[in-house]
Amino acid sequence: ATLSSLLPIAMGIGAASWNSPTFEPIGFAAALVSTTSQAGLNVVSKRVMRKTGIRGAEAQRAMVFVALGIGLAMTGANRIGGMMGEYDTAGPNDDDDTVAEELQRQRRQSPTTTLHSATASHPPLWLTCLAVLAYHTEYILSFSFVSLVEPITYGTCDALRRLLIIVVGNRMFRGDRFSKTNLGGILMALVGALMYSITSAGGGGGRGLLPLAKPRSI
C-alpha cells in the first residue's frame, strides 16, 4: 500500500507541471535517467553512511570530491574531442592562418551570433556566491536527513519539494495561471503524500526496505 501511494504523487507532479500537449521522447528519457540516478544516489548514500559513519558536511565533502573527479575526467575528454574535431575540420596541411580566416568568415556571415557573444554577461558575483551557498547547504541538509529516514521516504519528501518549487516558482516569476489539470495534479500529489504518510506510519511499507539504524545508547 505504501509503494502504491507513490503513484499518485508522481502522476500529480507531472500534471502540476503540464503546460504543453507535445511529447519529447529525448526529454522524457532524460527525465527518467535523472530520477533513476537520484533514487540510486539516495540508496547508495544510505548504505555508505552506515558503513563509514559519515553524514552531513562530511558526506557532502565526499560527494564533492567524487563529482570533481568525474567533472575533470569529462572536461578532459571534451577537450580532447574538441581538439580532434578541429584537427579533422582544418586538415593536417592547413596552417593557423587558414583556420583564423575561416573563423572570421563565419563570424561575418552570422553577425547576430557575434553580437550575442559580445553582449552576453555573467550573473552578478553576489548571485553566483549565493547560488553556491544555497546548493552547498541543500546537500548538507539532504545528507543529514537521509541518514535519519529510509531512502523511499527521502525520495517522497524530495518529490513534494519539487511540487513546492513548481507552485512557488509560478508565483514568483508570474507565470501563467494554473489550469484545471495543474490544480488537479497538485491535489493528487498532496493526497498521495497523505496516503504515504498514513500507510507508512501503519507499517504498510516495511517489507523490502532498508532497516532503520538502531539508536545508539548513551
Side-chain angles (χ1 to χ4, degrees):
T2 301
L3 296 179
S4 62
S5 65
L6 301 178
L7 183 59
I9 297 178
M11 294 178 61
I13 294 177
S17 59
W18 178 270
N19 61 358
S20 176
T22 61
F23 177 77
E24 296 292 340
I26 298 178
F28 181 72
L32 289 179
V33 172
S34 176
T35 52
T36 304
S37 301
Q38 183 65 42
L41 176 63
N42 297 339
V43 175
V44 173
S45 299
K46 182 77 174 183
R47 293 178 177 176
V48 172
M49 287 180 183
R50 285 175 175 169
K51 291 181 180 180
T52 60
I54 64 175
R55 64 181 59 186
E58 295 179 353
Q60 163 67 357
R61 285 194 293 268
M63 191 193 73
V64 167
F65 281 119
V66 174
L68 177 62
I70 296 175
L72 291 176
M74 294 182 63
T75 302
N78 290 336
R79 180 61 178 173
I80 294 175
M83 294 174 61
M84 294 179 62
E86 293 177 359
Y87 178 80
D88 293 338
T89 302
N93 297 325
D94 294 338
D95 53 11
D96 294 339
D97 294 337
T98 305
V99 176
E101 292 176 357
E102 179 64 21
L103 291 176
Q104 291 179 0
R105 185 182 63 82
Q106 294 178 0
R107 290 174 181 174
R108 287 194 298 268
Q109 292 178 354
S110 56
T112 56
T113 304
T114 306
L115 179 61
H116 177 74
S117 302
T119 58
S121 60
H122 293 283
L125 179 60
W126 65 269
L127 185 59
T128 302
C129 294
L130 187 62
V132 172
L133 178 62
Y135 186 83
H136 181 70
T137 304
E138 175 193 355
Y139 268 87
I140 289 179
L141 296 177
S142 297
F143 282 119
S144 299
F145 183 63
V146 76
S147 63
L148 302 176
V149 298
E150 298 291 352
I152 188 173
T153 302
Y154 176 84
T156 304
C157 294
D158 185 65
L160 295 177
R161 177 184 66 87
R162 296 176 186 274
L163 179 65
L164 181 63
I165 291 175
I166 294 173
V167 176
V168 176
N170 180 272
R171 296 304 179 186
M172 287 183 60
F173 297 103
R174 300 179 180 180
D176 298 334
R177 295 184 59 182
F178 286 123
S179 63
K180 294 182 179 180
T181 302
N182 301 142
L183 295 176
I186 295 174
L187 180 61
M188 184 186 301
L190 294 178
V191 171
L194 179 61
M195 292 173 53
Y196 175 82
S197 178
I198 294 174
T199 55
S200 60
R207 183 177 299 179
L209 301 179
L210 295 176
L212 287 172
K214 297 181 178 180
R216 298 178 181 177
S217 58
I218 301 177

